[in-house]
Amino acid sequence: MPASLTRPTRWIGAGLTVVCLGFVLWRFVQLAPRVAALAPWPSLISGMGLATLVYSAGGVLLAIAWWLLLRALASPSITATSAVRGHMRAQLAKYAPGNVFHLAARHVHARQQGLDHVPVATAAVAESILLVAVAVSLSFAMPATGLPGALQWLAPWRWIILVGFFGLIAIFYWLRLRDRMSALDGTWHAGIGGVLGATACYCSFFALAAIAFRFLFEAPALDALELLPTIAVCWLGGFLVIGSPGGLGVREALLVGLLGPVCGEAEALYAALAFRGVTILSDLLLFLVGILVPDHSR
């Protein structure tokens, strides 16, 4: 992104984050008695515990996808242990202001493993494109009427957005590998396999996130499959608001806005806040695993 646009974009993202946090806080103050009465502490703790384990499994899949992309676009010699540990150890950094420090930490770790700067940056861009493409694809299951009023104008354009993202993936991937046919062994086969494997990991991550959220959501009428497009839309919103630390505030506001009309605003707010706790606990757990598990590849 040009430097002239970086600062305004971050300011806009920070402003949206503050607005979303303010909305969530305002609704919590208004609905606190109802939210507190929704579930007893034992039920909340057990639900969050199960959700944390499931969401952590999704986090492991994200780390595996990062390894697959590094192998496909940077170096086939990078080991799974090294790449996965680097990804896990960087996760907590996304909660720092700016929402970029986890990317920087992963980049530094990959450079320490001997990978070149440009291929690692290429893998990071590919990761973002694939994640957004998968999230947009999954959001298609949500009818236009299920979107907030401010977002319904996007519904007719979803197919165009999806085709555009996959077109970017194809162009990006072709340009990346065109000049590296001789640099990587089995470039096309390994590269395509890596991208497809990463895409499968991202699809599975969103599915596990929906299952984890279901452990917290007191709405028998909705199962994990029905929650999947909502989770994808909320993740996408948090990802696209540049500068929002881990999507903080943005995803909670979207969850309340999307699920409130379906199950009640207090129930949606309760689940959104509990889910934020789950994601933080999961990132902390993965960070500890990344720190404690030795890297035998060295």
Side-chain angles (χ1 to χ4, degrees), residues 39-51:
W41 280 105
S43 176
L44 174 62
I45 293 173
S46 62
M48 288 186 66
L50 289 171

Side-chain angles (χ1 to χ4, degrees), residues 60-242:
V60 173
L61 289 177
L62 292 180
I64 293 174
W66 174 241
W67 167 61
L68 292 172
L69 290 176
L70 285 179
R71 288 189 72 234
L73 300 172
S75 170
S77 64
I78 184 72
T79 64
T81 303
S82 177
V84 169
R85 286 180 73 251
H87 190 282
M88 289 179 173
R89 294 172 66 176
Q91 281 302 90
L92 281 181
K94 69 184 178 184
Y95 295 105
N99 197 26
V100 295
F101 291 101
H102 62 299
L103 301 176
R106 278 195 274 153
H107 192 95
V108 170
H109 179 269
R111 294 283 286 133
Q112 290 173 344
Q113 304 305 308
L115 276 63
D116 293 334
H117 167 74
V118 173
V120 175
T122 301
V125 173
E127 176 189 52
S128 297
I129 293 174
L130 286 172
L131 275 167
V132 171
V134 169
V136 172
S137 301
L138 294 174
S139 73
F140 279 19
M142 176 179 291
T145 54
L147 294 171
L151 297 179
Q152 288 189 9
W153 66 273
L154 284 173
W157 301 94
R158 285 188 289 182
W159 279 109
I160 296 177
I161 294 173
L162 181 64
V163 171
F165 268 116
F166 278 109
L168 284 175
I169 293 171
I171 295 171
F172 176 83
Y173 184 65
W174 179 76
L175 291 175
R176 176 68 189 92
L177 294 181
R178 183 182 57 182
D179 299 325
R180 292 179 59 83
M181 288 292 292
S182 60
L184 300 176
D185 295 333
T187 293
W188 290 106
H189 295 290
I192 292 174
V195 171
L196 292 177
T199 302
C201 287
Y202 296 143
C203 291
S204 300
F205 161 74
F206 283 111
L208 289 173
I211 293 172
F213 188 80
R214 186 63 187 84
F215 283 121
L216 309 168
F217 196 50
E218 300 295 328
L222 294 175
D223 56 26
L225 185 61
E226 292 171 311
L227 289 169
L228 182 56
T230 300
I231 295 297
V233 169
C234 294
W235 178 92
L236 187 61
F239 181 83
L240 294 179
V241 175
I242 298 175

Side-chain angles (χ1 to χ4, degrees), residues 238-259:
F239 181 83
L240 294 179
V241 175
I242 298 175
S244 174
L248 185 66
V250 179
R251 289 171 185 160
E252 287 75 26
L254 284 171
L255 282 170
V256 173
L258 292 172
L259 295 177

Side-chain angles (χ1 to χ4, degrees), residues 44 47-48 51-52 213 215-217 252 268-281:
L44 174 62
M48 288 186 66
T52 299
F213 188 80
F215 283 121
L216 309 168
F217 196 50
E252 287 75 26
L269 180 59
Y270 165 84
L273 294 177
F275 192 56
R276 172 57 66 179
V278 164
T279 60
I280 294 175
L281 288 173

